Amino acid sequence: MRRGELLRHARRYGTPLYLYDLAEVRERAAELRAVLPPGARLLYSLKANPLPPVVGAARGAGCGAEVCSTGELEAALAAGYRPGAVLYGGPGKTRAEVDEAVARGVRTFSCESRHELPLLRAAAVARGRRLRLLLRLRPGDGPPCGLSMARGRPFGLSAREAAAICLDAGPADPWTVEGCHLYLGSQLPDADALLDGFARARAAVTALQRATGFTPRVVDLGGGFPWPYAAPGHGCDLTPLRAPLAALTAGWDPPPAPRVWFESGRRLMAACGTLLATVLDVKEVPGRPLLAVTDAGVHVLGGMTGLGRLLPPGAGPENLSAAPGSRPEVTADIAGPLCTPLDQLASRTRVARPDVGDVLSFPNVGAYGLTTGLTAFLSRPAPLQLVHDGGARPALWRLTTRTAPVAPGGGGEPDGADAPVAVEDGEAPSGARR
């Protein structure tokens, strides 16, 4: 969107405000599918952004769905996915969530541990259903990446555990071991690193085949397709991946070649999202960068940064209130309004000198944005989310988080659901800053 349009949205709806352009989702999906092998299936990982219209755009672009919770499953179904198009994964599954997924019609599960087998068995038998399992393999070392799953101990089965499941599988089991699932890491830097990662994943599957005689019908090689986070730019060119990836997945030994799946969250969604924030305060301390305090902090964006689990994002905001060339560019730290020194979105970033009341724009936040924030911290209202889809009327949503009493032994309504918001023209929603 252009600068003037973004400022109009900030004035009308207040800030912090997320804006999503669904045309970007379709464009990124087409770009990614163009480099994947013919016949490959692309899944959208809902952890990147579970907002229903965003999920619906992925479905409309031909992507399947990969979910890791009952909430994500609900979002996928609400967006129009058939349960049979859903892969249910994630470590630490509970009996209740497996039961619910099977009851809702999910048939394909990524099995992370041998301790999940009794849960899957009980749910399948109780519903009279037959399941399809992908054995998630714990990879060895992988190529350099933003966040490695190769060292993530909760994820996947060892080679020995996977082999035991393959060798023990029989007709009495209420499932078919359909294949394997691997994921080496997020934000692999380029096409060479991606190809290296997929080759390592394929080698792990081949080793399992040769050890057990197992013939996988499906192999999910994961993803890791890169895109900038909260900063300007585009992901690396993926076209060099096309020919070697087609060769890697076609020449399967031992044969026959399985159906190949890939996953993406960040590459599909990042570019569709923009966050607008208002500068609340500007502080100058000798010898330090200028400090701009905004109404968007780690409760809105990059919450795992606030926990100290990830490095601060190298956010690169644009000052929409400063016309190009009208103010000097300065080095600034961008902080949020929370009562913690960890509430920082950018360190020593270059930006047109901010003043109180200016609107800053953070691009490429359509993935791992609001739902990775510390949304409930300090009990601030969640920001509005405005969804654009061509000429259609924009849709307005808000993530709700609340504390409610629950009757003993009862469940109650789940918190954290996205809900549509009705707003009259010219009216700022409750909790928004104008």
Side-chain angles (χ1 to χ4, degrees):
M1 296 182 191
R2 295 182 178 178
R3 174 190 299 262
E5 187 176 4
L6 293 173
L7 285 170
R8 284 194 296 273
H9 286 315
R11 286 193 294 268
R12 179 178 181 185
Y13 298 108
T15 60
L17 175 68
Y18 271 94
L19 301 109
Y20 303 110
D21 182 354
L22 300 189
E24 283 283 351
V25 178
R26 291 186 284 270
E27 185 174 343
R28 298 284 80 76
E31 172 193 80
L32 190 50
R33 291 171 68 90
V35 303
L36 298 182
R41 187 183 184 207
L42 177 61
L43 305 181
Y44 170 51
S45 297
L46 267 74
K47 65 178 71 66
N49 189 334
L51 188 69
V54 169
V55 179
R59 181 185 64 83
C63 300
E66 185 261 330
V67 306
C68 295
S69 71
T70 52
E72 289 185 355
L73 174 60
E74 184 65 36
L77 299 181
Y81 277 103
R82 295 177 296 102
V86 173
L87 170 63
Y88 201 113
K93 300 179 185 70
T94 67
R95 170 67 189 271
E97 66 179 304
V98 171
D99 283 347
E100 181 170 348
V102 173
R104 298 296 294 269
V106 175
R107 296 290 178 272
T108 307
F109 289 82
S110 176
C111 180
E112 297 260 5
S113 165
R114 59 186 176 85
H115 296 291
E116 291 181 4
L117 295 178
L119 306 182
L120 293 164
R121 181 184 299 277
V125 170
R127 295 283 174 176
R129 307 282 169 78
R130 187 164 184 84
L131 307 181
R132 297 183 290 268
L133 303 189
L134 299 185
L135 303 182
R136 179 159 178 178
L137 306 182
R138 185 185 309 146
D141 288 338
C145 58
L147 185 63
S148 174
M149 303 296 176
R151 293 183 293 274
R153 290 182 296 169
F155 300 107
L157 298 149
S158 69
R160 179 175 296 180
E161 290 170 326
I165 293 173
C166 290
L167 293 171
D168 292 345
D173 292 321
W175 56 65
T176 300
V177 179
E178 195 81 356
C180 300
H181 179 199
L182 297 97
Y183 198 101
L184 269 75
S186 175
Q187 290 279 55
L188 277 76
D190 52 34
D192 287 342
L194 285 161
L195 187 64
D196 181 19
F198 295 140
R200 292 172 190 248
R202 178 189 151 157
V205 177
T206 299
L208 179 65
Q209 289 182 259
R210 289 175 175 162
T212 64
F214 168 59
T215 301
R217 300 179 184 88
V218 171
V219 173
D220 183 341
L221 292 175
F225 304 101
W227 199 270
Y229 180 58
H234 296 79
C236 69
D237 180 16
L238 296 180
T239 53
L241 192 63
R242 183 184 295 126
L245 187 56
L248 176 73
T249 56
W252 206 271
D253 183 24
R259 300 191 304 275
V260 180
W261 296 0
F262 295 89
E263 305 168 24
S264 180
R266 188 184 308 273
R267 185 87 185 198
L268 287 171
M269 292 299 165
C272 83
T274 302
L275 172 64
L276 303 183
T278 298
V279 177
L280 307 177
D281 196 1
V282 176
K283 298 184 178 183
E284 297 187 63
V285 177
R288 300 289 301 276
L290 186 77
L291 176 65
V293 180
T294 76
D295 55 4
V298 293
H299 64 305
V300 169
L301 176 69
M304 286 184 283
T305 295
L307 294 175
R309 301 303 178 107
L310 294 176
L311 294 174
E318 178 185 2
N319 189 341
L320 299 178
S321 300
S326 64
R327 299 188 200 172
E329 192 174 79
V330 299
T331 299
D333 293 338
I334 311 296
L338 305 183
C339 300
T340 168
L342 295 174
D343 189 17
Q344 184 167 312
L345 296 183
S347 176
R348 304 188 68 85
T349 190
R350 297 291 290 175
V351 63
R353 183 182 175 88
D355 290 330
V356 172
D358 286 355
V359 176
L360 304 184
S361 169
F362 296 82
N364 287 323
V365 293
Y368 304 106
L370 178 58
T371 52
T372 64
L374 304 179
T375 314
F377 187 45
L378 291 185
S379 300
R380 291 178 177 268
L384 290 170
Q385 301 173 87
L386 187 66
V387 181
H388 283 264
D389 190 8
R393 181 173 181 174
L396 200 59
W397 294 71
R398 191 196 295 277
L399 179 69
T400 60
T401 302
R402 68 187 187 281
T403 302
V406 177
E413 295 181 2
D415 288 342
D418 285 295
V421 177
V423 179
E424 298 298 327
D425 288 349
E427 175 188 356
S430 174
R433 182 176 302 278
R434 299 182 64 175

